[in-house]
Amino acid sequence: MTEPAPLPVLYQDVALAVVGKPAGLMVHDSALARGVTEFAADHLRAQFGRPIHLVHRLDRATSGCLLLAFDRDTASALGKMLMSREVEKDYWAICRGWPAEREFVVDHPLDGGPGKPQKKEARTAFEVLATCELPLPSAGFPTSRYAWLRASPHTGRFRQIRRHLKHLSHHLIGDSSHGDGRHNRQFRMLGIHRMLLHARRLAFLHPQTGARIEVTAPVDAEFARALALFGPQPAAGVV
């Protein structure tokens, strides 16, 4: 059996690390796994050769910054910082349509997913980074419009960004659960098969030293191909 490739380490010290999770890798075993046998948690324990504590989760289809701790005290401190919204989290997303405003906030309660019907506060700030119009027929129009967004969730609900975009009818491209199948097919024809949501940046104060840690994760080849549709952009400078 071939050993899995190590996950890229974006930041590491004695207490914690940030790794780049690839799209398609589930973070850990859960009721949603449905026969999945490979998990980031197992890979990371083997990769670091020590116990690890995942501080948060990313959806299987989402790529990018994944924060972990090497001891329970650091994990607990980081978890409290997440709960109190002291950790900055920015995602890149590509959606259908052009939002009416360059910056906007979605404040729309969400349930907790399967088996958790109670709705709770859910808030996401969005910023349009770029737009494009492609010669792809859709809904009777000869072209289709898309937007590249920065999404900053202020809460951590189940599939929050994906569901907030659906609520706006600006469906996330490649999202098979909450997206728009017509546009997903258009992107597959362009050779882009993944869900276009990427955990781009994490920033927080180190729970032991107080130093500010800021980490960004590069996109993979498919996401880069999608960004290229927006023409020349200063992507490296867009945080």
Side-chain angles (χ1 to χ4, degrees):
M1 182 176 176
T2 305
E3 286 292 318
L7 274 63
V9 178
L10 307 174
Y11 174 84
Q12 181 181 356
D13 60 33
V14 296
L16 58 89
V18 181
V19 300
K21 187 191 85 68
L25 179 63
M26 187 162 272
V27 171
H28 57 68
D29 200 357
S30 73
L32 298 174
R34 297 194 186 97
V36 175
T37 57
E38 284 194 50
F39 303 97
D42 297 334
H43 291 339
L44 291 168
R45 276 190 287 271
Q47 180 173 329
F48 288 110
R50 60 194 296 194
I52 59 106
H53 304 270
L54 294 169
V55 177
H56 67 128
R57 296 186 296 265
L58 293 176
D59 293 343
R60 179 180 181 180
T62 303
S63 57
C65 293
L66 182 65
L67 176 61
L68 59 95
F70 295 121
D71 63 83
R72 291 187 184 279
D73 289 345
T74 302
S76 176
L78 288 169
K80 289 175 182 176
M81 291 168 67
L82 278 165
M83 291 293 290
S84 60
R85 303 175 189 175
E86 297 172 59
V87 178
E88 300 170 26
K89 295 187 291 182
D90 288 337
Y91 292 72
W92 280 354
I94 295 179
C95 73
R96 64 176 290 267
W98 291 356
E101 299 175 298
R102 191 178 73 83
E103 296 185 28
F104 55 98
V105 174
V106 178
D107 197 341
H108 177 69
L110 296 170
D111 62 35
K116 299 178 181 179
Q118 182 182 356
K119 290 191 175 182
K120 296 183 179 181
E121 174 198 10
R123 192 166 181 266
T124 309
F126 291 95
E127 179 184 0
V128 178
L129 300 178
T131 58
C132 68
E133 187 166 4
L134 303 179
L136 303 173
S138 177
F141 295 96
T143 61
S144 296
R145 291 178 169 184
Y146 300 100
W148 169 16
L149 308 174
R150 172 167 45 219
S152 304
H154 296 174
T155 50
R157 307 303 173 211
F158 178 72
R159 296 179 177 174
Q160 177 171 313
I161 295 171
R162 299 162 62 178
R163 296 163 75 193
H164 272 172
L165 287 173
K166 179 183 179 181
H167 175 68
L168 295 176
S169 292
H170 287 299
H171 303 81
L172 181 70
I173 299 302
D175 186 347
S176 59
S177 299
H178 311 286
D180 184 312
R182 296 168 300 171
H183 292 277
N184 293 348
R185 286 191 293 274
Q186 299 275 37
F187 271 69
R188 285 197 295 271
M189 291 172 63
L190 297 173
I192 300 166
H193 299 268
R194 59 158 294 179
M195 187 175 78
L196 294 177
L197 184 62
H198 176 69
R200 171 64 177 172
R201 185 180 75 100
L202 281 177
F204 55 92
L205 299 183
H206 197 290
Q208 293 186 9
T209 68
R212 179 175 170 81
I213 308 296
E214 183 166 0
V215 183
T216 58
V219 296
D220 62 20
E222 276 193 56
F223 208 112
R225 191 178 304 142
L227 294 180
L229 299 172
F230 291 86
Q233 298 289 336
V238 180
V239 176

